[in-house]
Amino acid sequence: MTPPPGCPMHEPKKETPPPGCPMHKSDTPVTDKLNELNMMPNLTQDQYADQSMELPTERTISSIPKAKDADSKWEYPSPQQFYNALRRKGWETPEEHVETMVDIHNFLNEEAWNEVLKWESKFGCECKEDPYLSRFQGRPQELSPKARWHSFFGYIYLIGFFQCSGPKPFDRHDWFVNRCGEERRYVIDYYEAPEEVPGVPVFHLDIRPAIDSPEAAFFRIKEAAKEKWAQWFSSPASNQTA
């Protein structure tokens, strides 16, 4: 997946001060109580006192439903809220890049939802309801079992040699999708992929239902088998000789 260009994620990360440093203390008010739908504090649209430029406060409505009502959609954070969230975590972020970062964030979430819908189409549902994202949680510090497996045992073909060290995702989200009164958890691992065009970031999202039920395990195994079958037994016409 290639999002809009200009991502600052490839820039070297600046060192952050220790947790007790006053730099971590924000003069931007936040609500300490967590929002149970996304497990995040409610950030305001207020600017930091040392902010050098104004950031937009308009929020974009996503295509992702948050309730049975099809008109009820999740809203993406505004650039100012996104910046406030990064500052609250102690991450130094160039203000001029924040709007691009928000565009990438929104792009990846839309792609993730499209993949969730593909998975949901495989699950039977008698009520014929459309799925919706009831809540989600970011877990960037916790590797999923699959990501942990690949990071230790994955093989990367590199300059003619196999290297026993797979890449680790830079982020992880757990999405809770509700349909017909049943909640299903999806795990999303976010990876940086090799650039196809210099300076244009490419991301890979590994999206799958968590193995929380026999049904989810069945579909995970079925899809993995289909992928392996296609790899082993496909015979492209271009590889055939006369």
Side-chain angles (χ1 to χ4, degrees):
M1 298 178 183
T2 306
C7 177
M9 293 178 62
H10 292 274
E11 297 181 359
K13 293 182 175 65
K14 298 181 180 179
E15 293 185 0
T16 56
C21 177
M23 289 181 63
H24 279 289
K25 297 180 180 178
S26 167
D27 54 7
T28 299
V30 297
T31 302
D32 291 333
K33 183 179 180 181
L34 295 180
N35 184 332
E36 294 182 357
L37 296 180
N38 57 19
M39 299 307 294
M40 294 175 61
N42 294 312
L43 295 169
T44 72
Q45 298 275 18
D46 297 336
Q47 294 186 17
Y48 274 76
D50 60 350
Q51 199 170 316
S52 62
M53 61 180 292
E54 289 188 10
L55 292 171
T57 57
E58 294 78 16
R59 302 180 65 180
T60 300
I61 298 177
S62 76
S63 68
I64 306 173
K66 62 186 302 184
K68 290 183 181 180
D69 181 5
D71 295 329
S72 179
K73 308 287 188 183
W74 284 94
E75 286 186 83
Y76 292 124
S78 70
Q80 182 64 58
Q81 288 176 311
F82 198 90
Y83 177 75
N84 290 350
L86 295 177
R87 285 286 297 265
R88 188 176 187 275
K89 294 177 181 179
W91 296 352
E92 295 292 339
T93 305
E95 295 165 28
E96 64 273 16
H97 292 318
V98 171
E99 290 188 64
T100 299
M101 294 180 71
V102 171
D103 288 339
I104 293 172
H105 169 271
N106 298 356
F107 171 85
L108 293 178
N109 278 282
E110 293 293 326
E111 292 297 316
W113 181 246
N114 289 334
E115 292 300 315
V116 167
L117 292 179
K118 291 178 184 178
W119 276 105
E120 281 295 310
S121 68
K122 306 177 192 301
F123 291 92
C125 182
E126 296 181 358
C127 71
K128 306 301 180 182
E129 287 183 0
D130 291 328
Y132 62 91
L133 178 63
S134 57
R135 57 193 178 95
F136 62 91
Q137 181 179 8
R139 303 173 66 180
Q141 306 301 325
E142 301 178 51
L143 283 180
S144 66
K146 184 177 180 181
R148 186 179 298 110
W149 172 268
H150 283 301
S151 67
F152 285 110
F153 300 104
Y155 288 87
I156 304 174
Y157 190 73
L158 180 65
I159 319 178
F161 296 93
F162 285 104
Q163 176 178 311
C164 297
S165 177
K168 293 182 179 180
F170 65 83
D171 199 4
R172 170 191 171 179
H173 282 183
D174 282 13
W175 284 14
F176 298 83
V177 176
N178 200 297
R179 189 183 187 191
C180 302
E182 179 184 354
E183 188 176 72
R184 194 170 3 258
R185 180 170 65 97
Y186 283 84
V187 179
I188 307 174
D189 287 322
Y190 297 77
Y191 294 88
E192 288 188 70
E195 294 182 355
E196 299 173 357
V197 178
V200 179
V202 178
F203 300 100
H204 168 68
L205 273 57
D206 186 4
I207 304 161
R208 69 277 185 195
I211 305 179
D212 295 335
S213 68
E215 186 181 25
F218 170 77
F219 281 109
R220 286 279 298 274
I221 294 172
K222 181 180 178 180
E223 288 303 308
K226 285 173 60 178
E227 290 180 5
K228 289 300 181 183
W229 181 274
Q231 292 175 7
W232 290 342
F233 297 101
S234 61
S235 300
S238 58
N239 293 334
Q240 297 179 356
T241 56

